[in-house]
Amino acid sequence: MINRITGATTFARTMARQPAAWFTTSRISAKGVLTTAQHTLTIVGVTALVVMAVLFVRPDLVKALSDGLNRVPGAEVVAVTAPPLDALMEAPAAVTVSTAPLSAEEKALLGTEKQQKWVTTWLSKRYRVAGDAANMLVSTAYLTAREIKLDPLLILAVMSIESGLNPFAESPMGAQGLMQVMSKVHHEKFQDMGGTQAALNPVANIRVGSLILKDYVTRGGSVEAGLKSYVGAAAFESDDGYGTRVLAEYNRLKQVSAGKKVPTITPVMTAAAPAKAVPVAATEKSVSGTQIAGL
C-alpha cells in the first residue's frame, strides 16, 4: 500500500513538471527559428545589393536581361550562309569564250601564261589576296580584255585603285565590287547576268566595269579622258589625281608583265571623289546620259 502511494506521488510530480519543460523547449526552438530567419534575410539583402551594384556598373547586362525577359515567343532566327568562293567566281552565262583561233591582237592582249603568272603573283603580294583568288581575278580580266579588245593591265589597274581587289567593296555613294560599278545606274548591263544583285559577283563586275571603261575611252578618245569619265569627273577640270594613280599602277603592271622586279610596297592610293560638288543639272545629265562607274 505504501509503495502504491509513493509511486502515485512520483507520477504526479512528473506530470506536474511536463508543462514547464515543454514551455522551455518551445522558447529555445522559437529563438533558433528567429535567428535563422534573421541570417537568411541578411544574406538576401547583401546579395540584392551586390546584384544592383553589378547592374549599375554593367548596363549591357540590364539590356540583355530585359531582352531575355521580353523575348517574343515563337520568333525564329534565320541563319545566313555565305556562298562558297567558287560559286562567286563562277562565270555568268552571258560570258562566253570563243574557241576560234586567236588573232595577233588577241594573242597580244592575252599575253603568255608566264606573264599572267607574274602579274598574279605581284598583285597577290601587293594587295594581300590569296593566290587562287588573285589567279581567278587576273584570268577573268584577261579573258574579258580579249573579248572587248581592251588592255587587261588597264582593267587590273582600275580594279586595284578602285577596290584594292576587294570584290565586296562598296562606297558611300553605292559603287560596288572590284571596279566600283554603280549598279543602280548601269542596271541594264547586269540584266543578262542575273540582275543588279550580280554586282558583287567578281566575274560580272569585271565584265560590266570593263565595258563601261571601254565605252568611256572610246568616247573620250584617250585613256586619260576615259578614266576621267569613269571616276565621274568629266564635267570638272580635275579628277583629283585619279587618272594619275591608275596610270602609275598600269605602268607598274606593264613592268611586272615584262618580267621586271617591281616593289610591292609602294604607296597604294584608292580613288577619291572630285573636290567640287556636282551641280544638280550636271547630276541629272550624268544619270540620264553619261554613265557613271566609279566614285
Side-chain angles (χ1 to χ4, degrees), residues 150 154-155 158 179 208-218 223 226-227 230 293:
L150 184 66
L154 179 61
I155 296 175
V158 171
M179 299 191 73
V208 172
S210 299
L211 286 172
I212 297 169
L213 179 61
K214 173 69 180 293
D215 183 45
Y216 283 151
V217 171
T218 302
V223 173
L227 291 174
Y230 192 89

Side-chain angles (χ1 to χ4, degrees), residues 150 228 240 250:
L150 184 66
K228 190 176 181 181
D240 203 26
Y250 171 69

Side-chain angles (χ1 to χ4, degrees), residues 79-96:
V80 178
T81 304
L85 182 60
D86 56 352
L88 289 174
M89 291 299 183
E90 194 175 44
V95 180
T96 57

Side-chain angles (χ1 to χ4, degrees), residues 5-274:
I5 295 174
T6 303
T9 304
T10 303
F11 177 75
R13 291 177 179 175
T14 303
M15 292 299 293
R17 293 195 187 99
Q18 287 298 324
W22 177 82
F23 181 74
T24 304
T25 304
S26 299
R27 290 184 60 187
I28 295 174
S29 300
K31 184 177 181 180
V33 171
L34 290 175
T35 302
T36 303
Q38 184 180 8
H39 291 169
T40 302
L41 291 175
T42 302
I43 294 173
V44 171
V46 172
T47 303
L49 290 175
V50 172
V51 172
M52 291 177 62
V54 171
L55 294 178
F56 180 78
V57 177
R58 296 286 302 277
D60 55 319
L61 295 179
V62 178
K63 186 177 184 305
L65 181 61
S66 177
D67 294 342
L69 294 175
N70 298 326
R71 183 178 300 172
V72 178
E76 296 183 359
V77 179
V78 179
V80 178
T81 304
L85 182 60
D86 56 352
L88 289 174
M89 291 299 183
E90 194 175 44
V95 180
T96 57
V97 180
S98 174
T99 56
L102 298 177
S103 64
E105 182 183 6
E106 288 176 332
K107 288 181 179 179
L109 289 174
L110 282 176
T112 65
E113 184 178 347
K114 183 177 292 186
Q115 287 176 325
Q116 290 192 30
K117 185 176 180 180
W118 287 337
V119 171
T120 298
T121 302
W122 189 80
L123 288 173
S124 175
K125 291 180 179 179
R126 180 168 174 79
Y127 293 98
R128 299 181 180 180
V129 177
D132 291 342
N135 181 53
M136 292 178 185
L137 300 180
V138 171
S139 298
T140 302
Y142 271 86
L143 290 174
T144 303
R146 170 196 168 185
E147 182 184 354
I148 68 174
K149 304 298 186 293
L150 184 66
D151 193 334
L153 298 182
L154 179 61
I155 296 175
L156 290 170
V158 171
M159 287 167 52
S160 301
I161 299 303
E162 286 285 356
S163 66
L165 303 188
N166 178 7
F168 306 113
E170 183 169 350
S171 76
M173 298 294 292
Q176 296 176 304
L178 291 162
M179 299 191 73
Q180 291 292 277
V181 178
M182 296 287 288
S183 58
K184 293 182 180 179
V185 177
H186 302 290
H187 56 87
E188 74 284 352
K189 289 184 172 60
F190 287 101
Q191 293 306 311
D192 295 335
M193 304 180 201
T196 55
Q197 62 267 27
L200 295 180
N201 180 301
V203 175
N205 193 278
I206 291 174
R207 176 175 171 77
V208 172
S210 299
L211 286 172
I212 297 169
L213 179 61
K214 173 69 180 293
D215 183 45
Y216 283 151
V217 171
T218 302
R219 290 188 192 182
S222 66
V223 173
E224 290 80 2
L227 291 174
K228 190 176 181 181
S229 295
Y230 192 89
V231 79
F236 302 103
E237 295 181 1
S238 171
D239 63 1
D240 203 26
Y242 173 81
T244 301
R245 292 192 291 274
V246 172
L247 292 177
E249 192 74 355
Y250 171 69
N251 289 327
R252 282 189 283 267
L253 287 170
K254 286 180 66 176
Q255 295 179 48
V256 171
S257 178
K260 297 181 180 180
K261 292 185 178 180
V262 180
T264 60
I265 56 174
T266 52
V268 180
M269 301 179 68
T270 56

